[in-house]
Amino acid sequence: MGKANWRIGVAGLGTVGAGLIALLAERPAFSPTGRTAVVTGVSARRRDATRAADVSSYPWFDDPVALATSPDNDLFVELIGGAEGPARAAVEAALAIGKPVVTANKALIATHGRALAALAEGAGAPLKFEAAVMGGAPAVKLLREALVGDEILAVAGILNGTCNYILTRMEAAGLGFAEALAEAQALGYAEADPTMDVGGHDAAHKITILAALAFGAAPTLEAAEVEGLAGVELIDIRLARDLGYRIKLIASAQRSGAGVTVRVHPALTPLDHPLAGVDGVLNALMIEGRRTGRIVLQGAGAGAGPTASAVAADIADVMAAAARPVFQVPAGALEPFAPVPATASTGRAYVRLLALDQPGVIASVTETLAEAGVSIDSFLQKAVAGAQGVPIVLTTHTAPEARIAAAVAAMSALPTLIAPPRVIRIARI
Ligand SMILES: NC(=O)c1ccc[n+]([C@@H]2O[C@H](COP(=O)([O-])OP(=O)(O)OC[C@H]3O[C@@H](n4cnc5c(N)ncnc54)[C@H](OP(=O)(O)O)[C@@H]3O)[C@@H](O)[C@H]2O)c1
């Protein structure tokens, strides 16, 4: 008996959708199942748009929901984007009738992952999203399949290429944040509205998904603490370097007895840390397993080719009928993370102060720390050409974050300071 073709409906024909159409046209027999993937319907907003791939031979659907429920396809691929609107409606409609869904939509999975998993598992339909995190690098498969034998203690990554590009260019070319962002936009790395990227929200979606997979919990976006790049200045990048660190936007999820911490924030990352040397638009992920130890994955986190390759890998899995719970644990048993209470969080911090050049300043700063019970790891007083006042930089030993915050609040009140203290956490994973 010959093996039947797999009929695929593709909604969204932008960067990733056109990349997938091109891949399927070039390699229709890419799946190791011996079956051929055939596009039997496409949908997007503008029917007459000029696209990066030729879609003229495929049946057109104005409505992605109609494509999702069409009996002319066996698998629905959602590449529209967004947590709500047509993407959500179409994915829900496909799953509700038991049709397998492949998506690259991190916002949708991070926001509605648990409900969609319940819908998918209830209907016996796979829901797969490899392309939602780290583009072509198989982060989802690694956690969802390859590492299920271990217990994951922590994951930490550089998950937003735009932010990493900006930080890399600030350091390498001495650019200010705004200049580096403008350069990223001119090169097409950053959207016209960069809020999702530089605000840390895109990375928050991705780390929420990875945390859910790593810890067998429901994606709990609202538990993520998110701080974007906007406060990072060139002076901090330079001073951090003097202290033996690079500043990276680190997305991390860590499990302890007290619960789970999911965070996105700029972090001083030691130069010998696997994430410190990741430059430009690359993404990287570090996984700490109880038994496997440290695993590091690095690759192109975006772009038509890498992302379409991840979508195609999911399509191949569906064609091979590899069915597993969507998030490691059956949806009915998924619980949200128990976040670590703010009072129980500990960490290290870099604090930069701009002080008047007069005696007694350093003593008053160290006193505020001593009073809060925070000890100093390193201390640097360094004149920066053209800067007003004297920058004082210190790093703390590990201390309750609430105490570090109390010390910084006390410092802010010192009359000898010219500007509010700038605090950046030091990477702890
Ligand atoms: N770009 C990447 O490198 C990358 C990497 C990983 C994951 N992703 C994810 O992949 C998804 C797609 O991203 P993308 O970069 O390919 O986006 P994109 O280039 O903006 O393309 C979006 C597509 O969706 C269509 N669309 C928008 N609103 C629609 C509506 N109301 N009804 C029907 N179609 C609609 C657009 O139609 P028109 O073309 O007609 O306007 C367009 O074809 C997102 O979830 C994104 O987060 C992207």
Side-chain angles (χ1 to χ4, degrees):
M1 197 173 74
K3 289 188 173 174
N5 290 341
W6 263 75
R7 301 167 310 154
I8 318 265
V10 182
L13 300 168
T15 304
V16 184
L20 179 68
I21 296 287
L23 187 155
L24 294 177
E26 210 175 300
R27 305 191 61 217
F30 72 95
S31 159
T33 58
R35 294 180 175 192
T36 300
V38 182
V39 177
T40 53
V42 294
S43 176
R45 202 168 20 192
R46 298 161 300 143
R47 186 168 187 162
D48 53 357
T50 306
R51 305 197 178 274
D54 180 9
V55 297
S56 57
S57 60
Y58 307 120
W60 177 270
F61 288 70
D62 282 324
D63 178 7
V65 174
L67 177 62
T69 52
S70 164
D72 296 339
N73 59 67
D74 310 303
L75 186 162
F76 176 64
V77 183
E78 184 277 304
L79 301 170
I80 296 170
E84 308 297 338
R88 181 183 179 192
V91 166
E92 286 178 349
L95 293 176
I97 58 165
K99 185 180 286 186
V101 170
V102 172
T103 178
N105 191 333
K106 54 219 138 189
L108 179 72
I109 300 297
T111 310
H112 300 297
R114 181 158 63 160
L116 292 173
L119 190 56
E121 290 167 28
L127 167 61
K128 302 188 63 85
F129 44 84
E130 180 61 65
V133 185
M134 288 184 80
V140 171
K141 229 180 202 335
L142 202 54
L143 287 168
R144 191 169 180 262
E145 298 174 28
L147 293 174
V148 284
D150 201 359
E151 292 151 85
I152 306 301
L153 304 173
V155 291
I158 292 176
L159 301 180
N160 185 274
T162 307
C163 289
N164 205 48
Y165 180 83
I166 290 171
L167 289 172
T168 303
R169 291 295 294 155
M170 285 174 78
E171 181 178 348
L175 304 181
F177 171 78
E179 282 173 287
L181 170 60
E183 192 181 281
Q185 284 170 322
L187 289 167
Y189 296 147
E191 303 285 329
D193 175 4
T195 323
M196 284 301 287
D197 289 327
V198 301
H201 308 292
D202 173 78
H205 287 146
K206 295 170 181 167
I207 194 67
T208 295
I209 295 171
L210 293 180
L213 292 164
F215 307 139
T220 314
L221 185 60
E222 58 283 4
E225 289 174 46
V226 186
E227 179 189 337
L229 267 198
V232 176
E233 294 175 44
L234 185 55
I235 184 176
D236 294 310
I237 290 175
R238 295 212 163 126
L239 289 166
R241 191 71 199 224
D242 289 345
L243 292 167
Y245 298 90
R246 295 181 86 191
I247 297 182
K248 294 289 179 188
L249 188 78
I250 303 289
S252 66
Q254 198 169 15
R255 176 157 59 178
S256 68
V260 169
T261 307
V262 179
R263 285 177 168 175
V264 177
H265 58 80
L268 269 72
T269 312
L271 290 174
D272 61 357
H273 190 283
L275 300 179
V278 177
D279 277 336
V281 290
L282 280 178
N283 280 200
L285 180 69
M286 194 180 90
I287 302 171
E288 291 278 356
R290 189 181 293 285
R291 295 169 185 77
T292 44
R294 183 172 281 190
I295 291 176
V296 180
L297 178 69
Q298 178 176 320
T307 312
S309 153
V311 173
D314 278 347
I315 294 174
D317 274 356
V318 174
M319 288 169 70
R324 286 167 179 265
V326 174
F327 290 99
Q328 252 194 50
V329 173
L334 280 178
E335 294 294 339
F337 309 135
V340 175
T343 47
S345 282
T346 60
R348 297 178 59 209
Y350 151 104
V351 183
R352 172 169 60 83
L353 308 161
L354 194 57
L356 294 172
D357 192 5
Q358 65 184 44
V361 173
I362 290 176
S364 60
V365 167
T366 52
E367 258 167 44
T368 57
L369 287 156
E371 274 167 23
V374 177
S375 62
I376 296 174
D377 178 42
S378 64
F379 200 97
L380 183 74
Q381 184 182 353
K382 194 170 187 226
V384 174
Q388 192 199 4
V390 185
I392 298 171
V393 178
L394 59 91
T395 58
T396 72
H397 281 297
T398 301
E401 291 185 333
R403 284 203 217 160
I404 296 176
V408 170
M411 279 176 213
S412 307
L414 293 173
T416 43
L417 289 199
I418 298 172
R422 173 76 187 124
V423 183
I424 304 177
R425 292 171 178 127
I426 296 177
R428 56 180 179 176
I429 304 172

